[in-house]
Amino acid sequence: MKILIIHGPNLNTLGTREPDIYGSETLDSINSKIEQFCNTLGIEPIFFQSNHEGKLIDTIQSTDDNISGIVINPAAFTHTSVALRDAISSTKTPVVEVHISNIHNREDFRKISFTAGVCIGQISGFGSNSYLLGIQALHFSSLSKS
Ligand code: DQA
């Protein structure tokens, strides 16, 4: 089983970006942690990060049957992007939305997700473990279909 892990804008600066909110792990160290976790489940993760909305959409659109699921942290586009929502809504691949911080106990504008409503579900507030929980959620939902 291959899954795609998509990181949205500004997540490439994790480690130095607002560590009081997002912690001190870099994106590379989070990806290594994801890789190790996936190994234990027999999952192959494929990683993609972009600061550009269109590139995130292109990546979702180009997902084929080899990819069993997507875990996406849309970052700031969560709160703004109808285009990203439409791309998620159009793909046959199941998608789980994750956030490092708890977007529901921050500024009001962060409490709204344009994208969560077209995902299987949303995981928010568990630090980098949100990604692992998202992967687990995809894994459970794929097992329940087999
Ligand atoms: C984030 C939360 C978003 O509100 C913010 O714009 C991000 C990161 C998170 O993982 O907590 O860039 O998605």
Side-chain angles (χ1 to χ4, degrees):
M1 174 174 174
K2 282 188 193 174
I3 62 168
L4 186 58
I5 312 290
I6 301 181
H7 304 285
N10 298 306
L11 296 173
N12 56 316
T13 65
L14 286 173
T16 53
R17 173 191 182 197
E18 299 178 273
D20 46 317
I21 298 172
Y22 299 113
S24 56
E25 288 170 283
T26 62
L27 190 59
D28 280 349
S29 66
I30 291 173
N31 284 344
S32 306
K33 185 169 153 178
I34 291 171
E35 186 126 42
Q36 279 174 26
F37 182 70
C38 284
N39 283 342
T40 67
L41 297 174
I43 293 173
E44 184 186 334
I46 296 161
F47 298 101
F48 182 74
Q49 191 276 328
S50 180
N51 293 327
H52 304 275
E53 190 175 14
K55 288 190 181 167
L56 298 171
I57 292 166
D58 289 345
T59 301
I60 292 167
Q61 283 183 3
S62 61
T63 304
D64 58 22
D65 290 345
N66 286 324
I67 302 291
S68 305
I70 299 173
V71 171
I72 185 167
N73 183 346
F77 292 138
T78 306
H79 320 296
T80 62
S81 181
V82 175
L84 192 56
R85 178 192 167 95
D86 287 350
I88 294 171
S89 184
S90 304
T91 183
K92 285 183 281 173
T93 313
V95 181
V96 174
E97 176 173 314
V98 302
H99 297 282
I100 294 168
S101 64
N102 181 352
I103 59 171
H104 302 286
N105 71 5
R106 298 184 60 194
E107 301 97 323
D108 281 348
F109 69 86
R110 290 188 205 276
K111 293 178 183 160
I112 294 173
S113 171
F114 280 44
T115 41
V118 290
C119 293
I120 304 175
Q122 181 198 69
I123 294 162
S124 180
F126 296 92
S128 62
N129 289 329
S130 290
Y131 288 95
L132 309 190
L133 293 167
I135 291 161
Q136 219 162 11
L138 271 182
H139 188 58
F140 278 134
S141 57
S142 80
L143 288 180
S144 65
K145 276 183 203 144
S146 59

